[in-house]
Amino acid sequence: MTNNEDLLKRVEELIPEYYGPNYNNETVTFINGIAELYIQNPERFVELFNNLVNTKIKLFKVWLLNTLIQLISKKYNIMQNNLKENFRQYLLSFFSFDFEKTFDEFFVVTKYCELFNSFIFYDFPENNNTIFNDILSNIYGTKDLNQKINKLYLLLEIFHTFNDEFIQYRHTYDEMQINRSNIIKDYMRKNTVKNLLIILKEILQNEEYIPNEKKIIQKSIEIISQLIDWVPFEFFYEVLNIILGNLINKYKYYESCCSVLYSIIKKGMEPKLKRAILDQIKINELINNIIKSNKKIEMNILKKISKIINLI
């Protein structure tokens, strides 16, 4: 075992104490020092990725991902192009093997998505404009249905985090961050979203044949509701036909479908055009059907319906 591996092994051993209630200053100082060592030497990022794949300690995975996020935010601009390409390939590699063993907890998935979006914040589209389409091609080429769904779910979580980072909280950004956000979104509108919607349409159409369908269908609908906010509305006609013509009639999708209705109402567009769209989808009828259904409607769904009614 090399000295570097010794250091990371020691971090792995101490990590429960680092994140636990009874940590001591020596442990915190040591582990923070190791993180800083890797941040100052970005060419060694591979060691962090390798440990991420091999460890079974969930808190250590979080620490590794946090360290990678800090490395990118502090050192991306001085990284050589070949190093950036290597980093990009390591990010993509999680779509090419059984990543469920690595992302075995939701908070680990969320942290990976944060890392992914931290990287594209600096990298996309100027240095590489194909990363999302590369992932979609990987998903299209996956024959095993369960693996295909799992990969798609990871991509949708990336988009969910993307929405948080680039859309929902952009009011907290400075001018440089807003500019980067606009560049990324403009490129994705033109070159990425249509390809994503193609595969989401396929998933929604085949809902009844998908194993454990509720999770992936709900997530797909949620992502569509988020995309409606900043993508041209005409992109969504086909998926909306499926959502509002079929899935909205199924209780398990009430909440996510209401999110879509709310996004349509909130979307910035010319008032007469919006009124025409709301009339075309028969929004009053859709809401009445949910309210009058024989199902016991949960409070969070009723709150969404209330918001929709207030805006109609």
Side-chain angles (χ1 to χ4, degrees):
M1 182 180 293
T2 67
N3 290 335
N4 294 341
E5 290 172 336
D6 281 335
L7 290 174
L8 287 176
K9 186 64 178 178
R10 184 60 178 150
V11 172
E12 183 180 35
E13 293 169 352
L14 291 173
I15 209 69
E17 183 179 338
Y18 179 80
Y19 284 114
N22 300 317
Y23 67 89
N24 63 61
N25 289 334
E26 287 186 5
T27 299
V28 172
T29 300
F30 170 74
I31 292 180
N32 287 346
I34 300 305
E36 189 63 25
L37 173 67
Y38 280 93
I39 292 168
Q40 295 303 324
N41 296 275
E43 70 279 0
R44 292 171 56 179
F45 77 85
V46 175
E47 298 168 25
L48 300 174
F49 271 111
N50 288 340
N51 275 266
L52 178 62
V53 172
N54 294 322
T55 186
K56 296 181 180 180
I57 307 300
K58 296 176 178 63
L59 290 176
F60 187 44
K61 295 176 184 179
V62 171
W63 180 85
L64 291 165
L65 289 164
N66 272 330
T67 303
L68 287 163
I69 291 168
Q70 293 181 62
L71 184 155
I72 287 300
S73 65
K74 294 179 179 180
K75 297 297 179 179
Y76 176 88
N77 289 331
I78 66 169
M79 291 168 66
Q80 297 296 316
N81 287 337
N82 64 324
L83 194 60
K84 293 174 183 177
E85 175 61 22
N86 288 341
F87 198 101
R88 191 181 303 116
Q89 292 307 315
Y90 269 88
L91 280 177
L92 289 171
S93 70
F94 289 96
F95 287 87
S96 299
F97 64 89
D98 189 6
F99 55 80
E100 285 188 291
K101 294 179 180 177
T102 302
F103 302 139
D104 49 359
E105 290 286 350
F106 181 72
F107 64 88
V108 180
V109 174
T110 301
K111 188 59 65 174
Y112 167 81
C113 294
E114 184 181 341
L115 169 63
F116 188 99
N117 284 301
S118 295
F119 184 75
I120 68 165
F121 180 83
Y122 298 100
D123 192 67
F124 183 87
E126 294 90 344
N127 291 308
N128 178 276
N129 58 18
T130 66
I131 190 167
F132 287 106
N133 287 331
D134 289 344
I135 294 171
L136 287 168
S137 295
N138 181 296
I139 294 172
Y140 274 120
T142 301
K143 302 302 181 183
D144 181 89
L145 182 58
N146 282 310
Q147 289 184 13
K148 187 172 188 175
I149 295 302
N150 288 336
K151 290 179 180 182
L152 177 60
Y153 191 83
L154 180 58
L155 177 60
L156 294 181
E157 285 296 338
I158 287 173
F159 269 90
H160 181 79
T161 307
F162 176 93
N163 183 76
D164 287 346
E165 295 292 328
F166 294 93
I167 313 297
Q168 188 172 354
Y169 299 116
R170 74 190 305 269
H171 62 279
T172 66
Y173 281 5
D174 60 28
E175 186 175 349
M176 183 279 287
Q177 292 171 315
I178 291 174
N179 182 55
R180 288 298 306 149
S181 174
N182 289 337
I183 290 171
I184 292 168
K185 289 189 298 178
D186 287 345
Y187 191 88
M188 292 181 70
R189 285 187 190 99
K190 298 175 183 176
N191 302 280
T192 304
V193 173
K194 284 185 178 180
N195 291 333
L196 174 63
L197 289 174
I198 288 171
I199 196 169
L200 291 182
K201 175 188 172 184
E202 178 185 333
I203 293 297
L204 296 178
Q205 283 178 322
N206 294 284
E207 171 246 355
E208 59 187 291
Y209 304 109
I210 295 173
N212 302 314
E213 81 288 348
K214 181 178 178 181
K215 180 180 177 181
I216 188 65
I217 297 298
Q218 284 180 331
K219 181 59 66 174
S220 298
I221 299 173
E222 287 172 10
I223 296 303
I224 289 168
S225 74
Q226 293 169 357
L227 291 172
I228 285 172
D229 179 58
W230 56 277
V231 174
F233 191 75
E234 57 266 25
F235 284 28
F236 300 97
Y237 291 153
E238 292 185 353
V239 292
L240 287 179
N241 282 337
I242 302 169
I243 293 170
L244 303 182
N246 177 25
L247 300 178
I248 197 171
N249 299 316
K250 301 184 179 183
Y251 177 75
K252 56 189 173 183
Y253 305 132
Y254 274 4
E255 184 174 3
S256 49
C257 288
C258 283
S259 294
V260 169
L261 293 177
Y262 184 71
S263 293
I264 294 172
I265 293 175
K266 289 283 290 182
K267 184 170 178 62
M269 66 176 76
E270 198 273 325
K272 288 185 178 180
L273 175 59
K274 182 182 290 186
R275 184 71 260 171
I277 290 172
L278 296 180
D279 290 342
Q280 183 178 9
I281 66 175
K282 300 180 180 179
I283 191 166
N284 291 324
E285 182 178 327
L286 293 173
I287 294 299
N288 285 332
N289 289 341
I290 293 176
I291 295 173
K292 293 178 181 180
S293 67
N294 294 324
K295 303 290 186 180
K296 182 180 179 180
I297 303 177
E298 299 174 0
M299 183 57 64
N300 53 333
I301 300 175
L302 289 174
K303 287 180 179 179
K304 289 195 174 184
I305 291 175
S306 177
K307 288 182 177 180
I308 293 169
I309 292 173
N310 288 334
L311 291 173
I312 294 178

